[in-house]
Amino acid sequence: SGGGYETITKILAEAAGSEVETQYEIPYSINQKTSNKVNEFYRKIRKKEISPDMLEIEKKIQKFSKKMKGLHEDKIVDVFIRDKDNNIYFIDITSPKSNMKEAAALKLKLMNWLAIAYANYEFSKVYAFVAFPYNPYHPNPYTRFSTDIFDKNRDIKFQENFWNLIAGFDVYEDLLKIINKVCKEYEKEIKNIF
């Protein structure tokens, strides 16, 4: 995951009035029965027995999630946000070129985070997603095979969808200009390093 991207996310989210923690350690867990049910959904999605569409799955997770003392193995969140409307976000910032194994592990992690949230947190709404800071195929849509396991609308936020969501307004184009400007200013130093 990207430290630089986490920092930019934190700056934008705090500017929008959110509380933000990077490399946040979830101080809660879920009981074994909850874990088993989440794993069962995950296996069925992998075998294509059920759709990865999260709307129905999430409703079920909300109903059966029960807490347990201790820490969950999926306890580290790249960015945790509580916005001013008391919505909470569990965000994994990752490379858009992740392989199938990595993608599969992320899907399970997202479902675990939802279960942990429903069992332990107070909030208006909960969101758990993977953020791809950029689309390497832009302007073409992102179509890597490894995203088949995800609900494209709920599990993944790409490029401007991610940055604009965090900032609360259309920030992506400005962000690109700033990054390009910084790169030009520090071009010599960057070249010297490499």
Side-chain angles (χ1 to χ4, degrees):
S1 63
Y5 294 123
E6 287 174 21
T7 305
I8 297 167
T9 304
K10 186 174 167 72
I11 292 165
L12 290 174
E14 284 179 347
S18 299
E19 294 168 28
V20 188
E21 281 191 60
T22 56
Q23 289 303 303
Y24 170 71
E25 187 169 315
I26 300 172
Y28 308 112
S29 194
I30 43 177
N31 69 12
Q32 193 58 52
K33 196 173 175 185
T34 304
S35 232
N36 293 347
K37 285 184 175 177
V38 168
N39 279 310
E40 192 182 322
F41 279 133
Y42 168 70
R43 278 195 304 275
K44 286 182 174 175
I45 291 167
R46 291 240 22 204
K47 289 181 179 172
K48 294 185 169 38
E49 289 171 15
I50 59 171
S51 154
D53 175 61
M54 283 305 290
L55 204 57
E56 288 309 307
I57 294 171
E58 201 171 318
K59 282 180 192 163
K60 289 174 183 164
I61 289 174
Q62 185 175 6
K63 282 192 184 123
F64 66 64
S65 291
K66 299 278 184 282
K67 61 183 167 186
M68 184 180 82
K69 275 197 164 47
L71 299 176
H72 194 274
E73 59 185 21
D74 283 330
K75 66 181 182 289
I76 302 295
V77 183
D78 289 342
V79 182
F80 175 79
I81 297 173
R82 185 180 292 276
D83 72 16
K84 52 187 190 292
D85 298 318
N86 202 34
N87 299 312
I88 59 174
Y89 300 79
F90 296 82
I91 305 168
D92 188 285
I93 299 178
T94 197
S95 159
K97 297 196 172 180
S98 59
N99 63 38
M100 189 63 209
K101 191 177 171 195
E102 288 164 359
L106 284 174
K107 177 67 176 183
L108 180 58
K109 187 189 283 190
L110 294 181
M111 293 198 296
N112 278 323
W113 285 347
L114 287 170
I116 292 166
Y118 283 123
N120 295 280
Y121 288 78
E122 293 290 324
F123 55 82
S124 302
K125 286 183 183 162
V126 61
Y127 301 93
F129 59 82
V130 177
F132 293 111
Y134 62 95
N135 173 5
Y137 311 107
H138 184 80
N140 297 318
Y142 183 91
T143 53
R144 270 182 79 87
F145 72 94
S146 59
T147 58
D148 287 352
I149 198 167
F150 293 114
D151 177 332
K152 306 279 190 297
N153 298 316
R154 297 168 79 82
D155 291 340
I156 302 177
K157 299 288 178 225
F158 276 111
Q159 200 166 276
E160 66 273 14
N161 293 345
F162 169 58
W163 296 113
N164 296 347
L165 171 73
I166 297 306
F169 65 98
D170 290 353
V171 74
Y172 184 66
E173 292 304 318
D174 294 331
L175 207 55
L176 281 185
K177 285 176 195 157
I178 292 165
I179 290 167
N180 286 331
K181 188 174 180 229
V182 169
C183 286
K184 277 197 177 77
E185 281 179 24
Y186 291 96
E187 195 171 14
K188 276 199 180 107
E189 287 92 328
I190 292 166
K191 279 182 178 163
N192 288 339
I193 292 166
F194 295 105

